[in-house]
Amino acid sequence: MATELILAVDLDDKDVAKKFLAPLCGELSWVKIGLQMFLKYGPGIVDEFADAGFNVFLDLKLHDIPNTVASAIKSLRGRPCGMLTIHTLGGAEMMRRAMEAAADALPQTRLLGVTVLTSMDEAQLSGIGVSRAPMQQVEVLAKLAAESGMRGLVCSPLELPCLRSFLGEEIALVTPGIRPRTAALDDQSRVMTPADAAKSGASYIVVGRPILKADDPVAATRMIQQELR
Ligand code: C5P
């Protein structure tokens, strides 16, 4: 399956975002919106971006007791959301209940599991009582997610080869931390190019600032799409 590009629309204002996205409509299919806009504008923001012609990846990283996560997902009933994130750390039962709720309320939505946030290093994990190295912890949570029936995971590009080695092709791997060779790193440290991420088994790559801050966003998008092909 070809690797697809997702633009992380990390902007404050929906009108600024829509204006930015208009010329990109034929250039990419997916946009990611997160808590920043969701909490400011409410769930209707999902419909607005879908109406503008994009598949919406809603990055809410839900994490609570199973019943609460399932109820939250049901509150999104019918929203045109193609992907939605939950934390695998919530456990197998939470993931199962989330999938049941999604099958009922959001049948078109692929739930993605978040494993270890890339902001957590070994010392931070140890601080919350996790003695495994980050990669080992990612593996444990990825296996749990797959066994619980999850059909997608968010991961760092450096985790791709390991995760692909034991996960079936039906599990989508979605990875941020992508930088074309010519782009600035911003605050990302362990990055991969779009082409390398595609070769390593990414189903989707998430790119924000290299497009959001480009002098010519259409050209920057086309360059990434070309690399992915
Ligand atoms: O601008 P940049 O390409 O770094 O944006 C990457 C996007 O992916 C942001 O929305 C960021 O929050 C998200 N992300 C990330 N690293 C993770 C998880 C999500 O960069 N581990």
Side-chain angles (χ1 to χ4, degrees):
M1 205 183 82
T3 308
E4 285 196 62
L5 171 63
I6 302 173
L7 172 62
V9 189
D10 294 326
L11 298 170
D12 265 339
D13 187 282
K14 67 176 180 178
D15 296 318
V16 170
K18 283 190 200 161
K19 213 165 152 190
F20 182 88
L21 287 174
L24 296 176
C25 204
E27 309 292 336
L28 55 85
S29 307
W30 284 89
V31 294
K32 176 173 91 79
I33 54 181
L35 284 168
Q36 186 179 0
M37 270 206 253
F38 189 83
L39 293 180
K40 186 167 176 183
Y41 297 111
I45 192 71
V46 177
D47 305 57
E48 290 190 39
F49 281 90
D51 289 344
F54 296 95
N55 297 323
V56 178
F57 167 8
L58 188 55
D59 191 12
L60 299 184
K61 296 190 178 70
L62 301 174
H63 185 185
D64 209 313
I65 59 171
N67 188 57
T68 302
V69 168
S71 305
I73 290 174
K74 285 189 181 169
S75 294
L76 288 169
R77 183 178 296 280
R79 296 281 174 199
C81 144
M83 294 195 260
L84 170 69
T85 47
I86 64 174
H87 268 286
T88 57
L89 213 48
E93 178 61 13
M94 191 204 88
M95 288 188 267
R96 270 196 294 272
R97 292 284 308 277
M99 279 180 299
E100 260 173 40
D104 169 40
L106 295 170
Q108 310 300 328
T109 305
R110 185 192 289 264
L111 288 189
L112 301 177
V114 174
T115 58
V116 179
L117 295 171
T118 47
S119 53
M120 302 288 285
D121 59 14
E122 197 145 359
Q124 297 226 38
L125 280 183
S126 161
I128 57 162
V130 176
S131 54
R132 293 189 195 95
M135 188 63 232
Q136 283 176 303
Q137 179 69 2
V138 167
E139 256 189 86
V140 167
L141 291 171
K143 282 182 183 151
L144 183 69
E147 283 160 16
S148 308
M150 294 281 292
R151 291 171 49 243
L153 289 166
V154 179
C155 67
S156 116
L158 303 180
E159 292 158 8
L160 285 168
C162 169
L163 293 182
R164 266 291 168 239
S165 71
F166 65 85
L167 292 174
E169 286 297 317
E170 73 285 358
I171 297 196
L173 293 180
V174 180
T175 180
I178 299 295
R179 287 294 177 269
R181 256 178 245 291
T182 51
L185 286 183
D186 305 304
D187 57 357
Q188 299 278 13
S189 52
R190 299 179 307 144
V191 299
M192 225 185 233
T193 64
D196 287 340
K199 276 188 221 136
S200 303
S203 315
Y204 298 86
I205 59 167
V206 179
V207 178
R209 286 161 292 182
I211 294 174
L212 295 177
K213 289 188 170 174
D215 293 333
D216 183 345
V218 171
T221 304
R222 285 185 184 158
M223 210 176 72
I224 294 170
Q225 296 285 28
Q226 210 167 350
E227 256 202 65
L228 289 178
R229 284 194 292 270

